[in-house]
Amino acid sequence: MWCFVSESPSVVREYRIPHSELGQVLYDKVCEDLGLLEKSYFGLRYRSKRGELLWLNLRNPLVVQLRGRSPHRLSLQVKFFVSPQELQQPITRHIFYLTLKNRLLLGHYAVTNEEKIKLFGLIAQAELGDADQTLPTQYHTILPDLSEETINEVLTAHREVMSDTMTPTYAEIQFIGNVSKLPGYGVEYFCAETKERVQAVIGVCTTGLQILTQARELMHSIKYEDISKVSYHQNHFSVHYYRSSGGTGVEDVLTALKFRLSSRKIAQALFRAFTESHTFFRCESVERVVRQQHSHTGFGSFLVLMKPDTSRGKVFRFDVGHTRRQAYDSAWRKLHPGNSPTQDQRWSLDLENYGAQRTWPVSSTLRSTHSQEILLSRQPTGSQPPVQIPKPPSATQEDDSSPDSTPEGTLPHKANRHDGGSPMSAGPAEEEMMEKLQDQLSNLQESRLCQVCLDNEMTTVFCPCGHMFCCETCSKECNRCPVCRAEVIYVQRVFFS
């Protein structure tokens, strides 16, 4: 497999990797070329055939992720944005700088024009050196698409930051520190739609979930500690969280928010981003339910119904090898063989959010009822106002039976009861049986999905080989069967009864 991995727009590395190799092989080669030891903070990002921006899962084979013709283009980017003081290697800080610079130029951060010009001045100092040795035309090479007026403002800001101590390396550090204080630092955004057809943005960050408007104005923030469950089905994403009563003496209520995303892969990416971010920033260790949760693709999705333990077509859902603390300690031991960071050394980092606690913020993942759902522990925090998502003036109430219009539930946090009023109870055996049935149902639903787009049901059979693999739309692009590589003479339409 022929791959191009870009470290920056001007640095692209070429690799030849066997199709059957895991993504980890490619990532290790990239890190080895860079001399990067702090691997846990980064990942490889690529665009799918349909243009979706996805993270490469290092635990799965490249062939099931990178589809289409070679060469495949990926980029090395920051995946987990920690405090700048936690970065121990110069190359780590440099890649952080490149990722943050790219996001700034793409408008990821909501900054004033004055703040942006100051940041551009630091970029100029980091990449061009002192202002008195820089030609005006050189600014266009590092800051494209800027007007002459803006370039003059950047030149002034560049001269202001120039000093004897402001080396290019220190300018990068200063840039990272300034960007880390911006509201959008470390947030991964996903465009979504509410049941009222209102456009919204869901942000996954170090503290939980953010619900924003299209203009990136924060409407509500839901902390990890208050989230009970997240799940997805097809292109729908749901989050259940506890809303505090604000000290009124009334029990906290369980609120469900449901969103629709552009495709199933984007819903999967949001589900994965939430789970991995929660594990990295809030857990003491990577739990078993996160390490082992998987699904099956291709023929494996059928075989798993008869042989649940089969590894045929097995792909892991999550790719997070360390927590925040483990990542820091692992890098420290590699850079200082034979030593481990003491508590004082670790907390000399002065983490802004947690420095006064002297403990790393943790919570735990309780269990997964099936492969598309994660249950979290819940430790309620202070009062939070209910989520207010504006409705368009012309919006009308839809039928509750519609899968796209499931009402947002607000239920008291009490035990479910039968009609007679006695608490509903289930023993461990019943709960285990229910989990197995839900898992089998999830596998059955996934086994009927098109293995190309993962959105529609499989509705065609390739003839004469007889393999059932994709939907009618995707079958038109296949001249050979993706399973056996036999030539497709014609495509037969089939129906599930």
Side-chain angles (χ1 to χ4, degrees), residues 319-391:
D319 174 26
V320 52
H322 296 90
T323 64
R324 183 182 192 178
R325 180 174 186 169
Q326 291 172 339
Y328 181 86
D329 290 351
S330 175
W332 178 281
R333 284 191 292 268
K334 292 176 181 177
L335 294 170
H336 307 84
N339 297 319
S340 295
T342 64
Q343 189 73 359
D344 290 337
Q345 287 171 329
R346 180 180 293 126
W347 284 104
S348 65
L349 302 173
D350 190 27
L351 303 181
E352 295 180 2
N353 294 331
Y354 314 107
Q357 301 182 40
R358 307 294 285 179
T359 57
W360 290 74
V362 297
S363 64
S364 60
T365 303
L366 293 182
R367 61 191 177 92
S368 171
T369 55
H370 58 84
S371 61
Q372 296 179 358
E373 182 177 284
I374 286 289
L375 300 181
L376 306 182
S377 64
R378 191 262 177 173
Q379 298 174 353
T381 57
S383 61
Q384 295 182 3
V387 176
Q388 298 292 338
I389 300 179
K391 298 182 180 180

Side-chain angles (χ1 to χ4, degrees), residues 130-204:
D130 293 340
D132 55 7
Q133 299 177 359
T134 303
L135 298 174
T137 55
Q138 291 181 272
Y139 290 99
H140 291 285
T141 61
I142 62 171
L143 299 170
D145 303 326
L146 295 185
S147 63
E148 290 299 327
E149 182 181 355
T150 305
I151 290 295
N152 292 332
E153 293 178 356
V154 173
L155 178 58
T156 302
H158 189 185
R159 288 170 178 166
E160 290 176 355
V161 302
M162 185 181 65
S163 66
D164 294 338
T165 58
M166 185 62 74
T167 62
T169 300
Y170 187 71
E172 285 189 3
I173 296 173
Q174 192 75 20
F175 177 84
I176 296 172
N178 291 350
V179 175
S180 68
K181 300 174 184 178
L182 298 178
Y185 178 76
V187 183
E188 187 172 354
Y189 295 114
F190 297 85
C191 294
E193 186 180 74
T194 68
K195 70 184 186 70
E196 294 89 2
R197 300 293 193 268
V198 177
Q199 297 298 319
V201 177
I202 303 174
V204 181

